[in-house]
């Protein structure tokens, strides 16, 4: 991709993961390192450093491998975990309502036992890629109902099971990457600490307060608590603002 785009710009163009744009928040916060996590339709965790030239660079990553191999804690994962929780409850003979009713309505079935057929069904009238994408969307679009039930007072038990199950591996990825980075010196040779690091969070799922509160608690319980937190709504805009803030500091240092 870099080779294809570079001639149009007259210089070498780097193609990066969009999670790198979350580094704009690091530049605005003026911290030397951090971990960026995106949890939306999919998910990814990346460790970011600010190098000696003030450029945000990716230092490590975990996840971002798509819904078959990853996307922990994403909308798809929340939907999948909710369906599984409902099916487990049904198999155990438990009486379920609330979120279970929403799940059955979402897939257009009357009994929870009918869910598996609907979840695995592919539309054979379209090409395989379109059919697979439609199947994935059916599951990921369920996340809105699950998160609403999770944030309710009191929260729906099935929603609690689903969200906590989805959060656990994503939080583990953040903890693993953070601890991995904490064992390394910063690019300037100085020691890292979580106090001088930022956790930058983007994506429609992790921007939900109830979800994020549990996510941060799981990280804290595992021994990782960042000195700075940032929730990013506009990823591209935050990337641009970070560059502006970096340029302002550079001009101030030069005068």
């Amino acid at each position: 991709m870099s080779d294809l785009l570079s001639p149009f710009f007259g210089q070498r163009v780097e193609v990066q993961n969009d999670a790198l744009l979350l580094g704009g928040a690091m530049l605005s916060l003026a911290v030397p390192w951090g971990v960026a996590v995106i949890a939306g339709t999919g998910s990814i965790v990346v460790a970011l450093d600010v190098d000696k030239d003030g450029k945000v660079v990716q230092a490590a990553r975990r996840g971002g491998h798509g819904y078959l191999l990853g996307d922990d804690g994403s909308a798809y994962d929340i939907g999948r975990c909710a369906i599984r929780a409902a099916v487990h409850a049904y198999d155990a003979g438990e009486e379920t309502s609330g979120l279970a009713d929403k799940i059955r309505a979402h897939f257009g079935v009357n009994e929870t036992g009918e869910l598996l057929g609907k979840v695995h069904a592919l539309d054979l009238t379209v090409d395989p890629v379109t059919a697979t994408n439609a199947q994935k969307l059916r599951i990921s679009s369920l996340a809105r109902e699950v998160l609403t039930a999770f944030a309710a007072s009191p929260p729906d038990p099935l929603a609690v099971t689903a969200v906590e199950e989805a959060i656990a591996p994503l939080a583990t990825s953040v903890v693993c990457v953070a601890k991995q980075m904490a064992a390394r010196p910063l690019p300037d040779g100085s020691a890292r600490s979580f106090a001088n690091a930022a956790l930058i969070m983007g994506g429609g799922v992790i921007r939900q307060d109830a979800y994020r509160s549990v996510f941060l608690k799981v990280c804290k319980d595992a021994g990782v608590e960042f000195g700075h937190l940032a929730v990013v709504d506009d990823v591209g805009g935050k990337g641009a603002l970070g560059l502006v803030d970096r340029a302002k500091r550079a001009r101030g240092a030069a005068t």
Side-chain angles (χ1 to χ4, degrees), residues 126-199:
V126 298
D127 64 272
V129 172
T130 301
T132 301
N133 285 337
Q135 180 192 53
K136 183 173 71 170
L137 180 60
R138 280 199 303 271
I139 296 172
S140 62
S141 62
L142 181 61
R144 181 177 289 106
E145 296 279 9
V146 181
L147 290 170
T148 298
F150 181 70
S153 182
D156 184 284
L158 284 183
V160 172
T161 297
V163 173
E164 290 183 349
E165 183 178 329
I167 283 175
L170 182 63
T172 295
S173 290
V174 169
V175 169
C176 288
V177 167
K179 289 184 175 180
Q180 174 188 346
M181 295 300 297
R184 306 177 188 173
L186 285 164
D188 65 3
S190 61
R192 296 178 195 264
S193 74
F194 295 134
N196 71 349
L199 177 64

Side-chain angles (χ1 to χ4, degrees), residues 64-88:
H65 304 305
Y67 74 103
L68 288 178
L69 300 177
D71 284 350
D72 299 322
S74 67
Y76 176 85
D77 197 27
I78 290 170
R80 181 180 65 87
C81 289
I83 296 165
R84 183 163 60 191
V87 171
H88 283 338

Side-chain angles (χ1 to χ4, degrees), residues 85-98:
V87 171
H88 283 338
Y90 174 81
D91 288 343
E94 298 171 7
E95 184 177 344
T96 57
S97 58

